[in-house]
């Protein structure tokens, strides 16, 4: 590990860069992003991301075990001024970002099970869905007509690093629909008024679980092409819907359950 240097001024160029990286525009211009937690940093490194430099406050926590990384020591007060959270975890890492993946990348990847998120705009929901998609064995996630970038701090935090897996693709609605049709995906669309109950669903060999924004649901262009409009049965007396990340988790895990059951049956 290189010997740490010190930064004491808020006017330092690296401190100013960290502040700029808190915005989507700043991240796009610099082609860098910020990670505030060691767990997320370690997962980014596992996925092949490279560190530019790291700010560390030894009074808060020990430095992460990194070799050949430029580390700058800062006071807790200075770290707090540039941290995303009110109580920083002792380090801020600046990493090099990657270009967004599009249609050609998706064609090359050739996934069998995908999660499609249409018009989702809440970073925390997107991050939670990425986390569940990873856990439930989803091959790819398609962000449709999304203004979000994967390096939004709330996406990083709520995905627990799943956003670094390099299996997220950003497409327009027309391209996404054309891709799914051309490659013969079964489209299961979540809908409050869906004709099929979750308990009646049968997932095929190539499936796409499609979710829309909580306030507006899936656009008609997606509802009209869905092979199944699926509703999740609800027994409560007040709640008439579920958070989109919860809804997605239930559908993804039902697909996973069916796939696992089919695999076990073949092995008998």
């Amino acid at each position: 590990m290189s010997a740490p240097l010190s930064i004491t001024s808020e006017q330092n160029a690296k401190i100013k860069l960290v502040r700029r990286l808190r915005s989507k525009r700043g991240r796009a211009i610099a082609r860098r992003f910020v990670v505030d937690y060691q767990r997320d940093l370690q997962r980014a490194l596992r996925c092949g991301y490279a560190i530019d430099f790291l700010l560390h406050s030894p009074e808060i926590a020990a430095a992460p075990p990194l070799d050949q990384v430029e580390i700058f020591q800062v006071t807790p007060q200075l770290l707090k001024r540039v941290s995303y959270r009110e109580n920083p975890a002792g380090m801020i890492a600046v990493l090099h970002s990657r270009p967004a993946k599009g249609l050609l990348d998706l064609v090359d990847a050739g996934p069998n099970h995908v999660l499609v998120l249409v018009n989702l705009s809440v970073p925390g929901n997107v991050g939670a869905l990425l986390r569940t998609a990873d856990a439930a064995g989803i091959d790819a996630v398609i962000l449709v007509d999304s203004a979000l970038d994967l390096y939004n701090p709330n996406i990083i935090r709520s995905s627990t690093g799943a956003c670094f897996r390099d299996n997220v693709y950003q497409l327009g609605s027309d391209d996404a629909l054309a891709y799914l049709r051309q490659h013969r995906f079964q489209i299961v669309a979540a809908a409050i008024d869906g004709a099929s109950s979750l308990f009646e669903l049968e997932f095929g060999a190539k499936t796409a679980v499609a979710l829309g924004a909580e306030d507006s649901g899936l656009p008609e262009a997606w509802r009209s092409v869905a092979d199944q409009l699926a509703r999740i049965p609800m027994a409560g007396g007040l709640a008439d819907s579920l958070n989109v990340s919860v809804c997605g988790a239930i559908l993804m895990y039902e697909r996973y359950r069916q796939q696992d059951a089919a695999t076990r049956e073949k092995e008998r």
Side-chain angles (χ1 to χ4, degrees):
M1 182 185 299
S2 58
L5 304 173
S6 295
I7 294 176
T8 58
S9 172
E10 291 187 46
Q11 302 306 312
N12 180 276
K14 295 191 182 303
I15 297 296
K16 289 182 176 180
L17 173 61
V18 170
R19 282 190 167 139
R20 291 196 299 272
L21 295 179
R22 296 303 180 184
S23 72
K24 178 184 176 182
R25 183 172 183 271
R27 292 190 289 272
I29 292 173
R31 291 183 291 183
R32 286 166 173 76
F33 66 99
V34 174
V35 168
D36 294 84
Y37 296 91
Q38 290 199 32
R39 175 200 61 191
D40 298 334
L41 174 60
Q42 294 301 328
R43 292 180 179 179
L45 296 177
R46 280 174 54 189
C47 293
Y49 281 83
I51 298 179
D52 187 0
F53 65 90
L54 184 137
L55 304 180
H56 171 237
S57 180
E59 292 90 344
I60 299 177
L66 300 169
D67 293 326
Q68 299 180 343
V69 171
E70 193 173 30
I71 298 178
F72 297 89
Q73 286 191 354
V74 296
T75 65
Q77 294 76 19
L78 184 54
L79 191 71
K80 186 173 183 178
R81 291 190 185 103
V82 293
S83 176
Y84 184 68
R85 300 287 176 179
E86 184 175 350
N87 297 310
M91 54 133 276
I92 293 175
V94 173
L95 291 85
H96 296 274
S97 58
R98 295 171 179 169
K101 295 185 131 187
L103 179 59
L104 294 179
D105 302 298
L106 182 61
V107 171
D108 288 342
N112 289 323
H113 302 287
V114 303
L115 174 66
V116 184
L117 306 179
V118 184
N119 295 332
L120 265 65
S121 60
V122 180
N125 284 336
V126 171
L129 284 160
L130 292 177
R131 178 180 183 178
T132 303
D134 178 52
I138 296 295
D139 302 320
V141 178
I142 304 174
L143 299 182
V144 176
D145 295 335
S146 175
L148 297 172
D149 69 306
L150 284 179
Y151 305 116
N152 180 293
N154 280 328
I155 289 182
I156 293 174
R157 180 73 187 276
S158 58
S159 75
T160 66
C163 59
F164 302 132
R165 277 199 57 205
D166 223 24
N167 67 340
V168 182
Y169 305 84
Q170 296 185 309
L171 277 65
S173 190
D174 290 344
D175 282 343
L177 283 167
Y179 172 81
L180 296 175
R181 288 195 197 101
Q182 180 181 352
H183 293 271
R184 301 182 181 278
F185 277 83
Q186 172 200 25
I187 301 176
V188 177
I192 294 176
D193 58 349
S196 300
S197 164
L198 167 73
F199 305 140
E200 301 167 344
L201 293 182
E202 291 187 11
F203 287 90
K206 295 189 73 170
T207 58
V209 173
L211 304 170
E214 286 193 24
D215 56 348
S216 56
L218 274 170
E220 183 56 34
W222 284 87
R223 290 173 58 96
S224 64
V225 301
D227 297 290
Q228 297 187 80
L229 281 177
R231 72 180 187 279
I232 297 174
M234 303 182 67
L238 291 177
D240 59 358
S241 65
L242 297 171
N243 175 277
V244 66
S245 66
V246 174
C247 176
I250 292 171
L251 289 170
M252 284 187 279
Y253 262 92
E254 175 58 19
R255 184 214 64 82
Y256 183 32
R257 184 194 68 79
Q258 291 186 22
Q259 181 187 41
D260 182 67
T263 300
R264 290 175 181 271
E265 183 65 28
K266 288 180 181 179
E267 292 174 348
R268 288 181 180 176

